[in-house]
Amino acid sequence: MPVFDFHVRLVPRPGEYERLLTVLDECQIERAAVAAGGTIDLRRLSRQLVEGGHVETDADNEAVLAAGTASGGRLVPFYFANPHRPVDDYARRGAEFHGLEISPAVHGVPLTDPRTEAFVAEAGRLAHPVYLVCLTRPGCTVADLTWLAGRHPEVTFVLGHSGIGNIDYHGVDLVAPVPNILVETSGGYSGVLRAAIDRLGARRVLFGSEFPLQHPSVELAKYRAVGLEPAQWALVAWENAIRLLDRTHPGPDGRFE
C-alpha cells in the first residue's frame, strides 16, 4: 500500500535533498509534502516554546519549490509563511505550491492576528490546505485554531503533531466538531493517535513524520503498534493526502466531513 508522508522538511544544507529521497526510499514512502527547514536554530526554537519569543527570518521557499520540480512531483512543496512580511509574495507565487504552513512557534504571530488571517484568506483563494502547530501561548492554542477554522470554513486546516505536546486528548476533542480541521500525527503518543482515529474517524487523520527531526520508521512503527484496519490505513497513509492536495480530485466541497 502506498504511503504519503504529509510533513517533512528540507534543510538548506548540501546533500539534504538526496538524503531525504534516500530515507523515503528506505521507508517505502512514495510521496511527501515538504516545507522549508532551517528557518530557526533548533535550540532557540526549543527555548522559544518554553519562554516565548520569535524570529522574523524568511524560509527558503525557493529551495523547496526547486526540490519539488527536481523530484518530478514526488515532493509536494508547501509555502512557509512569514506573517512579519506582507502576503503579496504568497499571493503572487502561491499557485506554484500546494499548501501553506504557518508557525506561531517560529514567527510568534498568533492565529488570532490579522496578519495570520491574511495568509489564511489567500490560502482559501488558492484552495491550499493550511498546516500549523499550536502552542499553549495565548492566541496560538487549539481553541484558537477552532476559532480561525470557523471564520474560514472554505479552508482545510491540518493540526500538526496531534495537538500540543504528546498527550493532547483535549486537542482532539476540541477539533472533533470542526469538520475542516484534520490532524497530522507525528510526535504524539500512540494512545492519542488511537483517540484521533476513534474520535475523528480515519478520514480526518494524516500520516506524517517530521523528518529530519523524526525518522519516518519511528512513525510507521507507531501505526503498526496501533493496528489500524487496512481501509483505515489506506485513508491515513495515502487517500486523505491525495484528495487534499490533488486539486483534480477534491473531496465533497473540498473538505473531509
Side-chain angles (χ1 to χ4, degrees), residues 53-65:
H54 71 277
V55 299
E56 299 187 10
T57 310
D58 292 322
D60 193 348
N61 291 311
E62 291 296 332
V64 168
L65 195 61

Side-chain angles (χ1 to χ4, degrees), residues 90 99-100 118-130 154-155:
Y90 177 51
L100 175 70
F119 277 92
V120 169
E122 189 60 29
R125 185 185 72 80
L126 292 163
H128 281 174
V130 177
E154 77 286 1
V155 176

Side-chain angles (χ1 to χ4, degrees), residues 42-174:
L42 292 176
R43 287 175 175 78
R44 176 165 182 171
L45 175 61
S46 177
R47 187 173 70 250
Q48 285 184 187
L49 290 172
V50 176
E51 299 177 355
H54 71 277
V55 299
E56 299 187 10
T57 310
D58 292 322
D60 193 348
N61 291 311
E62 291 296 332
V64 168
L65 195 61
T69 300
S71 71
R74 186 180 188 185
L75 301 180
V76 180
F78 269 48
Y79 186 99
F80 197 143
N82 182 355
H84 295 284
R85 307 276 186 258
V87 74
D88 304 36
D89 183 67
Y90 177 51
R92 180 175 59 86
R93 302 287 308 282
E96 301 175 64
F97 296 82
H98 291 260
L100 175 70
E101 178 173 1
I102 299 171
S103 179
V106 172
H107 291 118
V109 178
L111 303 178
T112 52
D113 192 289
R115 293 171 291 178
T116 296
E117 280 211 81
F119 277 92
V120 169
E122 189 60 29
R125 185 185 72 80
L126 292 163
H128 281 174
V130 177
Y131 180 96
L132 46 81
V133 178
C134 290
L135 308 169
T136 57
R137 202 171 303 162
C140 305
T141 67
V142 178
D144 294 312
L145 169 59
T146 65
W147 172 87
L148 184 62
R151 287 175 59 86
H152 296 273
E154 77 286 1
V155 176
T156 300
F157 295 84
V158 178
L159 171 61
H161 311 322
S162 300
I164 300 170
N166 293 316
I167 55 170
D168 198 0
Y169 292 92
H170 178 55
V172 172
D173 288 340
L174 285 174

